[in-house]
Amino acid sequence: MNNSVIMTADIDPTLLLFSDEILFLILSNLDARSLARIRQACRRFRTIGSDRQLWKGQFVRSFPSKKHDLEESTFTSDEHSTLTSPTSQRRKRRRLKSVDASDWRLLYLLQHNWGEGRCSISSFSLPYRLSCVNSAASGRVYVASDNHLLICKDGALISTRDFRASISAVAVDDGTHERVLICLEDGSFKAVGKDGKDHAESSKTNSKIIAAAICDDMVVTYDKAKHLNIYNISAPGRTRRGLMLPSSAGVGPVAIHLDHIDTAGTYRIVLAFSVKTFPVGHQINLQQFIVKSTSSGMASDDFVPGSLVSFPSVFSDVECLKISPPHVVVAHKDHSVRVYTHDEDGVRLSGVLHGHTSTVTCVDISENGKVVSGGLDRSIRVWEPSDHHFLPHESSPSWKVTTLRDVGWDMNLDSRAGFVWAALDDEKVLSVFQTSDDGRDNVMKVWDFCDDWFPGKEKSCDSLSAGCSNSRTIEVRA
């Protein structure tokens, strides 16, 4: 092999006389930037410089606090506890699929890009009035507009499908089948596989479904009549109605989390809802249910409701909320985001996140506790705890915040222009920006922090100080 084909003037050709083992030892003493540069020298250095042990060392030295989180979320499969479940472990592994856990160079690259504010962006127009949006660990985004379902991936629209009634909610199962639950305003739903085939369908209930979840053969819906409906999908094309329970939830935002806690058909349902308090404000209530389901269906004695847990009242209306056990994240109209942790010790406030200058309209939280929020101030903010433990601080200094803002957008947009949906995975921030009051003009934008880099290669974003060491603004011009 001719090793000098793309040799640069920075490399002494006599280095090529050494064995691969000696070169490995030499490269192991370089910093990440030098290691990235020497990989550009020739094919041999690129091969040796890509060794996973080299980059594992770089990762551990540069991000020691992240090594524990990575090993916990990637390589373990502990039994169910109040903190983790087989379903959440499965979702973590699926989300890291695009960044192989054995490829330490890409893992270093991802963490480096987050720290340095390096990202690439892609966007495309969605000229529809959107009713709801959800995403899967595979990177697919499911967008509902009236009775149309738009399926997007990698910043592009890949397929569409029409349904008989308007879509009111979309839920995704990140399991083997990646089934998508399409809920309609007539109270029915349809479970559709990743291949586009229908797996199950329910009959009409004439009560609009406003929240839903799906996990394996279990489906949970919450409708406008304040009923929590549980279904067991026993075979493609058929559903079996489970229990229908009245809920004490109010008319505010509702979120449902569903996962299995063992291999014997035991599932956990977590319902979070807001209740209006007198004279103003809202209170978040949370209730957990354990249900057992087999191929023969569900019996009444296999349903165990937990006690109702009430969070402290807040004198501000709730705009939206999201569950990722043991965390609940709530967005309020006073421009704040509150993060709660619920475990065997009770409920504690993990952080009150201030920074948005207008109403926060969407939130999401990842399994490792990173929070993303978007609002009418036309910015996306990504909040990360200073360490992997949630501390009961009632202010934001213990959180690092990154602000994403597209400076190429016209600031003379309609008053309701802003982000209406945002989601976070390990390497991307997914978002939908509404550009008009009537909601018919939307833009889907993907901020990809796994974009490759090497020293001297300039990216299209700038890292700007936002007033403190824990705050950073990334302004991008598309």
Side-chain angles (χ1 to χ4, degrees):
M1 178 185 296
N2 183 2
N3 292 303
S4 61
V5 172
I6 55 172
M7 178 63 68
T8 67
D10 295 331
I11 303 298
D12 187 344
T14 59
L15 284 175
L16 298 173
L17 300 177
F18 291 107
S19 65
D20 289 353
E21 291 76 12
I22 297 298
L23 290 176
F24 177 88
L25 292 175
I26 294 174
L27 268 57
S28 65
N29 289 283
L30 299 179
D31 58 28
R33 186 168 293 274
S34 299
L35 184 57
R37 180 179 286 114
I38 203 170
R39 288 180 70 253
Q40 311 300 319
C42 66
R43 295 187 182 92
R44 187 179 178 196
F45 275 114
R46 185 174 184 85
T47 300
I48 300 173
S50 299
D51 187 277
R52 66 183 301 272
Q53 291 301 324
L54 282 177
W55 286 99
K56 181 178 181 181
Q58 294 287 349
F59 186 94
V60 172
R61 289 195 297 270
S62 301
F63 314 110
S65 64
K66 298 296 179 183
K67 182 173 181 290
H68 170 79
D69 294 339
L70 180 67
E71 291 177 343
E72 181 182 69
S73 64
T74 309
F75 302 108
T76 62
S77 57
D78 299 335
E79 294 298 321
H80 169 69
S81 67
T82 57
L83 299 179
T84 61
S85 70
T87 303
S88 63
Q89 293 288 345
R90 179 182 64 191
R91 287 170 178 163
K92 291 175 184 178
R93 291 192 292 270
R94 286 287 299 277
R95 286 193 180 277
L96 285 171
K97 185 176 180 181
S98 59
V99 181
D100 190 343
S102 66
D103 193 334
W104 288 92
R105 190 185 76 85
L106 288 182
L107 292 170
Y108 178 93
L109 169 67
L110 174 60
Q111 193 62 42
H112 170 85
N113 285 349
W114 270 109
E116 294 294 323
R118 293 175 177 267
C119 65
S120 63
I121 62 171
S122 59
S123 60
F124 65 97
S125 177
L126 292 172
Y128 311 95
R129 179 183 284 118
L130 307 184
S131 55
C132 53
V133 187
N134 209 334
S135 62
S138 64
R140 291 191 173 198
V141 179
Y142 299 90
V143 181
S145 173
D146 296 328
N147 67 323
H148 311 295
L149 181 68
L150 315 174
I151 304 175
C152 311
K153 187 175 182 180
D154 297 329
L157 180 65
I158 61 176
S159 64
T160 62
R161 180 168 174 178
D162 295 342
F163 293 85
R164 67 171 180 266
S166 295
I167 301 172
S168 58
V170 176
V172 179
D173 178 15
D174 285 326
T176 304
H177 304 288
E178 191 181 303
R179 282 192 275 220
V180 183
L181 189 70
I182 310 300
C183 303
L184 307 180
E185 290 192 352
D186 60 9
S188 65
F189 67 78
K190 181 172 289 189
V192 182
K194 186 177 179 180
D195 55 4
K197 297 181 180 178
D198 294 347
H199 287 203
E201 185 175 5
S202 73
S203 58
K204 300 179 182 179
T205 63
N206 295 320
S207 184
K208 178 181 177 180
I209 297 174
I210 58 178
I214 179 172
C215 179
D216 300 329
D217 288 338
M218 290 291 295
V219 170
V220 179
T221 65
Y222 178 82
D223 59 33
K224 198 172 182 179
K226 303 181 183 179
H227 289 149
L228 187 69
N229 307 306
I230 307 171
Y231 301 82
N232 176 12
I233 305 174
S234 60
R238 295 193 297 127
T239 61
R240 189 154 37 236
R241 187 69 173 271
L243 302 172
M244 185 158 88
L245 301 174
S247 169
S248 59
V251 296
V254 177
I256 300 175
H257 174 85
L258 171 66
D259 60 9
H260 67 258
I261 58 178
D262 59 29
T263 58
T266 305
Y267 292 82
R268 172 181 62 173
I269 304 168
V270 184
L271 176 68
F273 52 90
S274 61
V275 177
K276 210 165 182 52
T277 56
F278 182 82
V280 293
H282 276 75
Q283 182 181 60
I284 302 298
N285 289 343
L286 185 144
Q287 188 164 13
Q288 178 173 293
F289 307 87
I290 302 297
V291 59
K292 293 184 178 180
S293 177
T294 64
S295 57
S296 60
M298 294 173 288
S300 58
D301 57 352
D302 288 334
F303 183 82
V304 182
S307 58
L308 185 68
V309 178
S310 297
F311 293 11
S313 297
V314 177
F315 293 102
S316 177
D317 290 348
V318 174
E319 186 73 17
C320 55
L321 59 89
K322 201 68 177 285
I323 309 174
S324 181
H327 311 301
V328 179
V329 57
V330 185
H332 293 271
K333 288 189 176 180
D334 63 358
H335 312 167
S336 68
V337 176
R338 284 171 168 78
V339 184
Y340 300 91
T341 300
H342 175 245
D343 52 26
E344 61 272 9
D345 296 326
V347 176
R348 66 179 185 272
L349 184 64
S350 300
V352 181
L353 311 179
H354 295 285
H356 284 284
T357 58
S358 187
T359 301
V360 181
T361 54
C362 52
V363 291
D364 192 21
I365 184 168
S366 64
E367 290 87 352
N368 60 10
K370 190 180 291 185
V371 175
V372 61
S373 59
L376 298 183
D377 59 0
R378 301 163 191 171
S379 70
I380 292 284
R381 295 177 186 261
V382 182
W383 315 81
E384 185 176 13
S386 297
D387 55 36
H388 63 272
H389 298 291
F390 276 78
L391 302 177
H393 292 306
E394 295 192 6
S395 58
S396 58
S398 60
W399 293 71
K400 298 177 182 178
V401 57
T402 299
T403 303
L404 307 178
R405 182 179 292 112
D406 190 337
V407 298
W409 278 332
D410 181 11
M411 290 297 99
N412 296 320
L413 297 174
D414 293 336
S415 59
R416 289 292 297 178
F419 287 97
V420 295
W421 176 80
L424 181 70
D425 64 17
D426 289 286
E427 71 274 5
K428 297 177 182 178
V429 174
L430 312 173
S431 62
V432 174
F433 186 87
Q434 180 177 292
T435 61
S436 62
D437 282 345
D438 61 8
R440 290 191 177 276
D441 296 317
N442 299 273
V443 176
M444 174 165 288
K445 186 173 290 291
V446 179
W447 318 73
D448 189 353
F449 285 83
C450 205
D451 189 46
D452 207 350
W453 64 277
F454 58 87
K457 179 182 179 181
E458 296 298 329
K459 306 307 294 180
S460 59
C461 55
D462 301 315
S463 201
L464 305 176
S465 171
C468 67
S469 59
N470 279 357
S471 180
R472 183 176 74 254
T473 298
I474 301 173
E475 295 190 341
V476 178
R477 186 180 300 275

